[in-house]
């Protein structure tokens, strides 16, 4: 018996040693697994990147096509009871739309909605073109008036002017009572203050009328009305459309093309307070413009630059495109006013992308140049950018050219847009300026791959409704949520 125990004890020790070895092996494997699990998280934190794929190459060929719609399509027809305007209105509504083409476009949409809310007859909106463009084209000179009125006939009554009335044997025009609406006024202001004055005076005149109606309204039918105005009723006059299509045809005859709205202009640079990259004489011009046109405010260039408040330079735009994989054979159409600083800022961009056009250079004759001045020129640029394969804005602030175009392209079939994240790119460009160029293009791609390239996405403040009308103005033919299903006859 005694001779057996040592054998049993030895076996036990061997078994115990084996179990310890197995346990250590298991712990080692668990440790390796933990590292493998934690490593991506560490990478995520270190690179501010959502996935490892963020450092991969961008498929440029896919960008030339529209973004994935996810089964959504545009539809702004009413989804619930939407009666035509009553035979009797509460009075006439006049508005003066100030600002540039796209700010005016937003104001027109708001004016139609305000008229619907108040059961008012809308007088054809006035465009304050002289102060901004030195152009007196007016609504009738830019838009197809008959189409505008006919398209909206089931939404609001529209007249070209306030009619004359006969009173005590005399004929006279109704004098509109002038009101200054609060900025981003709620619907209640229109149904109380504005409506009371309209009933009292028979007509009101709202001026200025930019950003004078809240964008976020908890009424999907009201939002869809804005889309009907913006994307269906507001059609440029035939000669503007012909000019635009002529440019697009010339550009597309040689393949794909990208449009860029380069917001490197005196007004934007002055507004942003981004002066330091300019010569002392140029800074003097910018500071003078700012003092004359904007509220006094202390702006420090380095701080503005660090948070992405400065417009991208032409060179930075070129560097972004090159990092994404576009080469010097890419055809570009430049929609912009006069670039500040002249050719020295354009030269680096042009060296990277020599196939650069604008509406004046596409045609060697003067036909396009002579017919694309002022607001009409902006309208032509708008249409070319709308129809381009890719659109890239360099500064998409509220109600400006890019803001509205992004929304229109989304509504027109999720057309690709490249939207630089200026705040995310700022430290990347600052590092490059300091000589730290290693990994520059990869860093640009990491930032850009977190942006949206034109597909449907949730609207999050401060993104404007006019930039992203999804999902109010879209529907799905097969949707699990009944509210998202396309209504009958919603083909648009």
């Amino acid at each position: 018996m005694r001779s057996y125990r040592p054998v049993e004890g030895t076996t036990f020790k061997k078994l115990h040693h084996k179990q310890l070895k197995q346990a250590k092996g298991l712990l080692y494997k668990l440790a390796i697994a933990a590292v493998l699990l934690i490593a991506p998280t560490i990478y995520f934190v270190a690179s501010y990147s959502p996935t490892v794929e963020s450092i991969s190459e961008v498929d440029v060929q896919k960008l030339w096509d529209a973004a994935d719609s996810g089964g959504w399509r545009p539809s702004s027809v009413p989804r619930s009871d939407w009666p035509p305007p009553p035979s009797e209105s509460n009075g006439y509504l006049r508005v003066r739309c100030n600002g540039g083409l796209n700010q005016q476009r937003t104001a027109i949409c708001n004016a139609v909605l305000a008229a619907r809310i108040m059961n008012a007859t809308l007088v054809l909106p006035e465009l304050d073109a002289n102060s901004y463009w030195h152009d007196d084209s007016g609504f009738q000179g830019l838009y197809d008036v008959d189409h505008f009125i006919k398209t909206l006939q089931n939404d609001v009554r529209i007249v070209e002017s306030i009619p004359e009335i006969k009173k005590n044997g005399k004929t006279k025009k109704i004098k509109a009572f002038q009101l200054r609406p609060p900025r981003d006024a709620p619907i209640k202001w229109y149904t109380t203050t504005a409506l009371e004055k309209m009933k009292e005076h028979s007509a009101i005149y709202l001026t200025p009328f930019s950003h004078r109606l809240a964008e976020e309204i908890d009424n999907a039918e009201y939002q869809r009305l804005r889309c009907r105005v913006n994307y269906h009723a507001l059609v440029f006059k035939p000669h503007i459309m012909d000019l635009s299509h002529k440019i697009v045809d010339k550009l597309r005859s040689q393949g794909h093309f990208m449009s860029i709205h380069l917001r490197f202009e005196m007004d934007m640079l002055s507004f942003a307070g981004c002066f330091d990259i300019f010569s002392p004489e140029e800074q003097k011009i910018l500071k003078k413009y700012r003092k004359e046109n904007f509220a006094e405010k202390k702006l420090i260039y380095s701080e503005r630059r660090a948070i992405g408040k400065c417009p991208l330079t032409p060179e930075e735009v070129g560097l972004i495109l090159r990092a994404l994989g576009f080469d010097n054979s890419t055809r570009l159409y430049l929609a912009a006013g006069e670039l500040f600083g002249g050719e020295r800022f354009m030269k680096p961009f042009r060296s990277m992308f020599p196939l650069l056009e604008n509406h004046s250079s596409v045609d060697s004759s003067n036909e396009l140049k002579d017919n694309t001045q002022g607001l009409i020129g902006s309208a032509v640029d708008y249409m070319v950018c709308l129809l381009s394969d890719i659109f890239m804005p360099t500064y998409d602030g509220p109600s400006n050219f890019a803001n509205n175009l992004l929304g229109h392209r989304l509504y027109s079939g999720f057309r690709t847009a490249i939207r630089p994240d200026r705040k995310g790119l700022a430290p990347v460009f600052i590092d490059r300026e300091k000589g730290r160029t290693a990994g520059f293009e990869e860093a640009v791609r990491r930032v850009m791959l977190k942006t949206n390239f034109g597909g449907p996405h949730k609207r999050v403040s401060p993104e404007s409704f006019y930039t992203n009308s999804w999902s109010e103005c879209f529907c799905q033919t097969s949707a699990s949520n009944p509210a998202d299903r396309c209504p009958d006859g919603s083909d648009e």
Side-chain angles (χ1 to χ4, degrees):
M1 294 291 292
R2 196 174 291 177
S3 62
Y4 176 77
R5 283 174 187 160
V7 174
E8 188 180 56
T10 303
T11 304
F12 175 77
K13 285 179 181 178
K14 286 180 179 178
L15 286 171
H16 182 62
H17 178 72
K18 187 177 180 181
Q19 286 172 343
L20 284 172
K21 196 172 183 179
Q22 287 176 338
K24 285 180 181 178
L26 182 60
L27 285 171
Y28 180 77
K29 289 178 180 178
L30 287 172
I32 293 295
V35 169
L36 291 172
L37 286 170
I38 294 169
T41 306
I42 295 171
Y43 178 81
F44 170 83
V45 174
S47 64
Y48 302 93
S49 175
T51 64
V52 176
E53 291 176 1
S54 65
I55 59 169
S56 66
E57 296 297 318
V58 177
D59 189 342
V60 169
Q61 290 307 311
K62 283 187 178 180
L63 291 181
W64 290 116
D65 298 324
D68 184 4
S69 70
W72 292 89
R73 62 185 181 83
S75 175
S76 58
V77 299
R79 316 273 173 88
S80 57
D81 185 42
W82 186 260
S87 56
E88 293 294 325
S89 75
N90 288 320
Y92 294 93
L93 172 64
R94 283 180 61 199
V95 299
R96 181 173 65 86
C97 307
N98 54 305
L101 177 77
N102 294 277
Q103 194 166 318
Q104 292 172 0
R105 198 176 179 101
T106 300
I108 294 166
C109 298
N110 288 342
V112 171
L113 179 54
R116 174 78 189 196
I117 291 167
M118 294 190 290
N119 181 30
T121 299
L122 178 66
V123 181
L124 210 62
E126 301 166 23
L127 307 186
D128 178 29
N130 280 320
S131 63
Y132 193 90
W133 289 100
H134 305 291
D135 182 329
D136 58 1
S137 301
F139 193 101
Q140 294 91 333
L142 277 180
Y143 296 106
D144 186 329
V145 173
D146 291 339
H147 177 83
F148 181 74
I149 294 173
K150 184 178 179 181
T151 302
L152 298 172
Q153 63 186 349
N154 292 322
D155 300 304
V156 292
R157 279 174 308 281
I158 303 172
V159 295
E160 294 197 38
S161 61
I162 296 179
E164 295 179 336
I165 59 169
K166 286 187 177 181
K167 193 173 183 180
N168 300 327
K170 295 181 179 180
T171 301
K172 62 177 184 178
K173 274 194 173 183
I174 300 171
K175 188 175 181 181
F177 180 82
Q178 187 168 320
L179 273 174
R180 186 184 181 93
R183 188 177 176 88
D184 299 319
I187 289 176
K188 188 176 180 181
W189 184 86
Y190 288 91
T191 57
T192 54
T193 303
L195 186 56
E196 286 168 13
K197 292 297 181 183
M198 179 177 284
K199 289 180 176 179
E200 182 182 345
H201 298 277
S202 299
I204 59 172
Y205 182 36
L206 304 184
T207 178
F209 197 72
S210 173
H211 305 288
R212 303 294 159 168
L213 178 57
E215 280 192 20
E216 292 300 331
I217 296 175
D218 191 21
N219 184 320
E221 293 298 2
Y222 285 170
Q223 299 293 56
R224 283 190 274 272
L225 174 56
R226 280 171 157 160
C227 290
R228 289 198 291 281
V229 180
N230 210 3
Y231 309 132
H232 296 279
L234 282 175
V235 173
F236 294 118
K237 291 181 75 69
H239 73 281
I240 296 174
M241 298 298 284
D242 289 344
L243 280 169
S244 306
H245 283 289
K246 186 173 183 179
I247 291 174
V248 170
D249 289 345
K250 281 180 175 290
L251 292 168
R252 192 158 283 144
S253 66
Q254 300 179 57
H256 293 300
F257 78 97
M258 180 194 307
S259 59
I260 297 177
H261 186 229
L262 191 55
R263 201 69 170 91
F264 199 71
E265 300 152 332
M266 182 167 64
D267 63 329
M268 180 51 66
L269 290 163
S270 298
F271 172 77
C274 299
F275 307 143
D276 290 28
I277 59 173
F278 297 99
S279 68
E281 188 58 37
E282 289 168 337
Q283 288 190 37
K284 187 177 177 181
I285 295 169
L286 291 172
K287 288 175 182 177
K288 182 176 182 289
Y289 187 93
R290 177 170 179 83
K291 186 176 181 181
E292 292 173 352
N293 293 278
F294 303 111
E296 188 174 346
K297 187 177 180 181
K298 186 178 180 181
L299 300 174
I300 300 171
Y301 171 75
S302 59
E303 294 178 359
R304 303 286 287 171
R305 175 91 165 103
I307 59 174
K309 291 296 184 181
C310 288
L312 295 172
T313 68
E315 182 180 20
E316 288 170 344
V317 174
L319 290 170
I320 293 168
L321 291 178
R322 196 163 65 181
L324 289 175
F326 293 96
D327 60 28
N328 61 5
S329 67
T330 306
R331 298 187 63 79
L332 303 178
Y333 177 86
L334 197 63
E338 186 177 351
L339 300 185
F340 192 76
E343 184 60 24
R344 69 188 170 93
F345 282 100
M346 280 300 297
K347 192 175 179 179
F349 184 31
R350 206 184 299 277
S351 68
M352 287 184 271
F353 296 95
L355 302 181
L356 190 62
E357 305 275 10
N358 59 29
H359 64 228
S360 298
S361 67
V362 172
D363 191 3
S364 56
S365 73
N366 287 326
E367 180 189 355
L368 295 177
K369 185 176 180 180
D370 294 344
N371 289 282
T372 51
Q373 303 302 313
L375 276 170
I376 292 176
S378 186
V380 169
D381 275 346
Y382 184 96
M383 286 306 303
V384 175
C385 290
L386 175 63
L387 298 172
S388 63
D389 300 294
I390 299 173
F391 173 58
M392 180 181 184
T394 62
Y395 199 98
D396 50 341
S399 279
N400 71 9
F401 188 90
N403 183 66
N404 283 270
L405 260 167
L406 287 166
H408 205 157
R409 287 178 64 87
L410 191 78
Y411 192 84
S412 299
F414 303 104
R415 292 175 175 170
T416 299
I418 297 175
R419 299 174 67 178
D421 175 0
R422 295 191 309 280
K423 187 175 181 179
L425 289 167
V428 180
F429 282 123
I430 290 170
D431 275 353
R432 183 179 180 275
E433 289 164 10
K434 292 178 179 178
R436 295 191 287 268
T437 57
F440 169 76
E441 291 196 347
E442 184 180 302
V444 170
R445 286 194 293 275
R446 274 205 300 268
V447 174
M448 290 303 298
L449 282 167
K450 290 185 284 183
T451 65
N452 179 276
F453 285 94
H457 61 281
K458 182 178 174 61
R459 185 170 67 252
V460 178
S461 181
E463 188 175 38
S464 164
F465 174 80
Y466 292 99
T467 298
N468 180 11
S469 60
W470 186 86
S471 61
E472 294 95 329
C473 296
F474 294 81
C475 66
Q476 286 184 310
T477 50
S478 300
S480 56
N481 184 355
D484 293 334
R485 290 176 192 161
C486 294
D488 294 335
S490 65
D491 292 334
E492 300 190 21

